[in-house]
């Protein structure tokens, strides 16, 4: 019996270490597997992913561990990495800001400066001095010459009336006929000088000359040389671009913030460095067809004709100013449809995302109502790079995880 007990305990003593070794194998294998799947990436080029340490083939920086399981809500960038990423910060502070609403608009031709030229007589266009649209025409410049058979008949009638009046100077009836014939020529568009020349030369001239009634640009040309036109037929349209309308779109809820006679600033696309003063001349009383917008209109000078109708503009509607609010450049705030956040430098090489509530904003700055304290360092350049790198490295949104 003692022999059997001895064999039993001897067997257990031999097998126990083996069992312990076997139980340790899975843990060792898991640890080895974890080491095997560790990957590395470049802080500046997260598309570079390798399963071993090394340098980035793009920028030459040392690769870092690619760990999406890191729960720390921050990013660490060395000074060299910050320089390469162009990450700059500013200490947030309070200040004043103009409360400006920007209205989208456009430049439009002022119809009061548009002149339509039509034929006052029927005939054939003998010659055109202006043959293409876009040409600049000066007031008094010859536009076209038209052959009019009716003018020829009126000239003959007048010369005959003049001859009869001279032959019978005492007959009042012939004097009245001569005066009526002369008036017909004047009403037909002949000048007194042309009528006088007709008598002195005794030669009929069946051509009617038309001159530009105003300075402008030919916007439409509806005839060509040799074409027959009826009385009243349109010939061309002249538009003066020396003054242009500015028409801007306004929502009905904003109508109370603007009034007729108010002076606003206009910024024209391509010339954003300069602002032009404009007085509001018209507020549309009804909504535009098919929209929920009203039209605001004013006039600006275009003396050098550097602006063209159709150019987009912005009308700056100043609603006053506010003060003692925290401000940041617009580029510092990231808006992704869910929230707005900024990146705060909490240490020399550490950056944390911070959700903020924004208030008023203009073309350059935005006010911060909640989420930041005066004196904190906020990233103003490179914020979108930090946002993208956080998502790539952590696999989640900086704010909404």
């Amino acid at each position: 019996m003692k022999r059997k007990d001895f064999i039993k305990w001897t067997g257990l003593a031999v097998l126990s270490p083996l069992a312990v070794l076997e139980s340790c194998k899975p843990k060792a294998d898991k640890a080895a597997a974890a080491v095997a799947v560790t990957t590395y990436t470049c802080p500046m080029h997260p598309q570079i992913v390798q399963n071993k340490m090394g340098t980035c083939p793009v920028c030459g920086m040392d690769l870092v561990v690619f760990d999406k399981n890191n729960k720390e809500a921050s990013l660490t960038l060395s000074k060299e990495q910050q320089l390469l990423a162009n990450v700059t910060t500013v200490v947030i502070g309070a200040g004043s800001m103009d409360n400006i609403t920007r209205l989208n608009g456009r430049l439009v031709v002022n119809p009061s400066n548009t002149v339509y030229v039509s034929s006052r007589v029927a005939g054939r266009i003998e010659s055109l001095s202006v043959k293409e649209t876009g040409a600049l025409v000066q007031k008094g410049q010859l536009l076209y010459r038209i052959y009019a058979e009716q003018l020829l008949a009126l000239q003959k009638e007048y010369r005959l009336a003049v001859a009869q009046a001279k032959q019978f100077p005492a007959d009042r009836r012939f004097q009245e006929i001569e005066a009526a014939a002369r008036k017909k020529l004047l009403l037909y568009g002949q000048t007194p000088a042309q009528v006088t020349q007709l008598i002195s030369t005794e030669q009929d001239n069946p051509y009617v000359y038309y001159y530009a009634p105003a300075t402008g640009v030919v916007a439409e040309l509806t005839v060509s040389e040799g074409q027959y036109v009826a009385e009243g037929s349109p010939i061309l349209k002249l538009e003066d671009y020396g003054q242009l309308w500015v028409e801007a779109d306004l929502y009905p809820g904003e109508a109370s913030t603007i009034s007729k006679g108010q002076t606003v600033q206009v910024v024209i696309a391509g010339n954003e460095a300069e602002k032009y003063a404009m007085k509001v001349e018209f507020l549309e009383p009804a909504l535009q067809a098919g929209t929920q917008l009203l039209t605001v209109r004013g006039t600006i000078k275009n003396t050098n004709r550097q602006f063209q109708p159709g150019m987009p503009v912005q009308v700056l509607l100043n609603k006053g100013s506010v003060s003692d609010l925290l401000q940041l450049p617009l580029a510092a705030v990231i808006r992704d449809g869910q929230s707005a956040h900024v990146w705060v430098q909490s240490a020399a090489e550490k950056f944390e995302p911070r959700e903020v509530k924004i208030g008023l904003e203009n073309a350059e700055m935005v006010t911060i109502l909640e989420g930041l304290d005066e004196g904190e360092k906020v990233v103003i350049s490179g914020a979108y790079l930090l946002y993208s790198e956080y998502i790539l490295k952590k696999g989640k949104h900086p704010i909404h995880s």
Side-chain angles (χ1 to χ4, degrees), residues 70-75 343 350-353 390 394 396 398:
N70 189 345
K71 301 299 182 181
E72 187 178 2
S74 64
L75 288 174
W343 286 85
K350 190 173 183 180
F351 299 88
E352 299 176 353
Y390 188 96
K394 309 284 186 178
K396 58 183 180 180

Side-chain angles (χ1 to χ4, degrees), residues 22 41 56 68 110 121 185 239 244 256 269 305 320-321 365:
E22 288 297 328
T41 186
C56 175
K68 288 188 177 182
N110 187 345
V121 300
L185 285 174
E239 293 180 342
L244 293 175
S256 60
R305 294 179 171 82
S321 61
M365 305 292 289

Side-chain angles (χ1 to χ4, degrees), residues 41-211:
T41 186
C42 175
M44 300 305 303
H45 301 92
Q47 71 272 21
I48 304 299
V49 179
Q50 297 180 4
N51 58 3
K52 61 180 180 179
M53 296 183 63
T55 58
C56 175
V58 178
C59 63
M61 291 182 60
D62 291 335
L63 300 182
V64 297
V65 176
F66 183 62
D67 184 11
K68 288 188 177 182
N69 296 319
N70 189 345
K71 301 299 182 181
E72 187 178 2
S74 64
L75 288 174
T76 301
L77 293 180
S78 65
K79 292 183 178 180
E80 293 76 12
Q81 292 171 341
Q82 294 175 36
L83 289 174
L84 286 173
N86 191 30
V87 174
T88 58
T89 61
V90 68
V91 176
I92 187 171
S96 61
M97 175 187 290
D98 291 332
N99 184 8
I100 295 177
T101 298
R102 291 176 171 261
L103 308 179
N104 294 321
R106 64 225 145 256
L107 296 180
V108 181
V109 175
N110 187 345
S112 62
N113 296 330
T114 300
V115 177
Y116 292 89
V117 177
S118 58
S119 177
R120 294 196 296 270
V121 300
R124 182 182 71 248
I125 302 295
E126 194 70 18
S127 62
L128 280 172
S129 300
V130 180
K131 299 182 179 180
E132 70 281 336
T133 59
L136 178 63
V137 172
Q138 299 295 332
K139 183 178 181 179
Q141 177 181 334
L142 177 65
L143 294 179
Y144 66 95
R145 182 180 64 162
I146 187 171
Y147 175 80
E149 294 181 359
Q150 186 178 358
L151 175 61
L152 186 62
L154 290 176
Q155 289 176 343
K156 291 183 180 297
E157 179 185 342
Y158 178 63
R159 287 202 297 114
L160 178 60
V162 170
Q164 290 176 338
K166 286 182 179 180
Q167 187 175 358
F168 304 99
D171 194 330
R172 183 179 177 182
R173 184 181 59 176
F174 288 111
Q175 302 299 323
E176 292 175 350
I177 292 175
E178 185 268 340
R182 178 184 176 85
K183 189 173 183 179
K184 285 183 181 179
L185 285 174
L186 295 175
L187 292 175
Y188 204 79
Q190 297 288 283
T191 64
Q194 289 175 320
V195 174
T196 302
Q197 185 181 11
L198 174 65
I199 299 304
S200 62
T201 61
E202 295 186 353
Q203 291 183 355
D204 299 328
N205 184 4
Y207 296 103
V208 180
Y209 296 84
Y210 284 90
Y211 301 88

